[in-house]
Amino acid sequence: MNGDSVAPAEESQTKTISTIAGDIEVPTHPKRIVAGEYLGSLIALGVVPIGTSNHHIKNPYFGDALKGVEDIGEGNGNIEKILEMEPDLIIMDDTYAEMNEQLPKIAPTVIIPYASLKTVHEEITYFGKLLGKEQEAEKWLNDYDRRIAEAKQKVLQVVPADSTFSILEIMDKNISAVGANFGKGGQAVYGGFGFKPPAAVVDEMKDPGWASISNEVLPKYVGDYIILTSDSHTLADLKADPIWNTLDAVKNDRVYIWGSDRSWYWDPIAILLQTEEIAEWLVGK
């Protein structure tokens, strides 16, 4: 008998993992994943789901990676649509509790609480283990670390390391200062580059990670540079405002303004590309 015809010992078709809903059996190598959340980690590991929620389809940082992936609806998706798709694994966060109670009747469902995976390394490593893609996770993280280090090196050649940065958002007429864990450039600026926010805002942002501020106290909270999410204001608008125009960052054009359609994403792929994007802007300054 030819040795090549001897079948290797078959790998187990399922494995047990621990989740907030207890231990569950999941496929060792799932083929039909529906993912309402955590798309960036799946794509980074070379895993394309059969369906995902509407806001991920719109993620500008995914490029063509979701070509052909079905839209399962708003929020974390529509349960009837998910049932039709016959998934073998469902991945969700804990935002929609009532829906999540029904999903295990369709397929094994892994619930990962919102914002519980605190870093890119933690998230990619988790999904590498879940999906049997440990080697892919290690390779992607090595490349991520290299590219973040290169971006940081470029920035620190032109921006003093003790510069302060404000991550701000204007929504309607409300202004928020945002910390390191909720997108909008915080991961890039505070995590990737190692810059700090102005001292006055640090304590206020510790819990829950952002702070609402008023126009009147802006000068107290604004650093040397501003990364601003706004769908309504341009730099010209800020310069025309009697309070914003008193800020050195505004007067010296050290304000990066982008829309929520880009800044709100904070999956691993978005964080990497946002870090490089902000680095290019800072180097250009």
Side-chain angles (χ1 to χ4, degrees):
M1 182 188 289
N2 188 314
D4 290 341
S5 65
V6 178
E10 284 204 17
E11 186 180 0
S12 173
Q13 298 299 302
T14 64
K15 61 184 176 183
T16 303
I17 66 161
S18 296
T19 75
I20 59 167
D23 289 350
I24 63 169
E25 290 284 317
V26 301
T28 304
H29 297 293
K31 298 287 190 287
R32 297 181 60 80
I33 300 174
V34 164
E37 289 299 334
Y38 303 105
L39 258 290
S41 286
L42 270 63
I43 292 168
L45 298 175
V47 176
V48 180
I50 59 170
T52 188
S53 49
N54 180 266
H55 59 284
H56 289 300
I57 298 281
K58 297 175 182 176
N59 187 324
Y61 298 104
F62 290 164
D64 292 332
L66 294 180
K67 194 173 181 180
V69 175
E70 284 199 60
D71 184 342
I72 61 172
E74 300 291 336
N76 280 4
N78 175 280
I79 199 154
E80 287 79 17
K81 177 70 174 173
I82 295 170
L83 177 62
E84 283 174 17
M85 299 181 76
E86 300 182 347
D88 59 6
L89 181 67
I90 299 170
I91 297 171
M92 293 285 173
D93 65 17
D94 60 347
T95 306
Y96 298 90
E98 192 174 322
M99 178 183 179
N100 287 345
E101 287 176 12
Q102 302 301 315
L103 290 173
K105 298 172 187 174
I106 299 175
T109 301
V110 179
I111 307 296
I112 303 127
Y114 176 79
S116 60
L117 298 168
K118 297 296 185 187
T119 66
V120 167
H121 274 258
E122 194 176 335
E123 184 169 325
I124 292 286
T125 300
Y126 176 89
F127 283 100
K129 289 178 181 174
L130 173 66
L131 302 171
K133 299 279 187 180
E134 290 93 344
Q135 286 185 322
E136 288 87 344
E138 184 177 358
K139 182 180 178 183
W140 194 89
L141 285 171
N142 286 338
D143 186 60
Y144 171 85
D145 288 342
R146 177 186 60 78
R147 287 171 63 176
I148 294 290
E150 287 177 0
K152 180 178 182 178
Q153 183 181 24
K154 279 167 52 174
V155 167
L156 290 180
Q157 286 174 352
V158 295
V159 180
D162 61 353
S163 300
T164 56
F165 276 71
S166 299
I167 311 295
L168 301 179
E169 177 181 23
I170 300 175
M171 185 179 282
D172 297 324
K173 293 186 178 179
N174 301 314
I175 306 168
S176 299
V178 185
N181 296 320
F182 296 95
K184 322 234 175 36
Q187 283 94 338
V189 167
Y190 299 142
F193 305 144
F195 293 118
K196 298 285 190 286
V201 79
V202 172
D203 287 338
E204 288 196 40
M205 286 196 307
K206 277 182 182 170
D207 185 18
W210 64 85
S212 295
I213 58 181
S214 65
N215 247 343
E216 291 70 30
V217 298
L218 262 177
K220 179 181 174 186
Y221 289 97
V222 168
D224 302 314
Y225 291 81
I226 298 171
I227 309 297
L228 175 65
T229 292
S230 177
D231 295 327
S232 57
H233 288 64
T234 65
L235 184 57
D237 294 328
L238 300 184
K239 289 192 172 189
D241 183 278
I243 295 177
W244 281 88
N245 196 37
T246 65
L247 308 173
D248 284 343
V250 173
K251 287 191 282 191
N252 293 295
D253 299 344
R254 294 196 298 264
V255 183
Y256 187 74
I257 302 178
W258 50 357
S260 59
D261 59 334
R262 283 164 55 230
S263 79
W264 280 11
Y265 291 99
W266 47 293
D267 59 86
I269 291 174
I271 290 170
L272 173 59
L273 296 178
Q274 287 169 352
T275 302
E276 293 179 332
E277 184 178 331
I278 294 172
E280 289 301 320
W281 172 72
L282 286 167
V283 170
K285 297 308 292 177

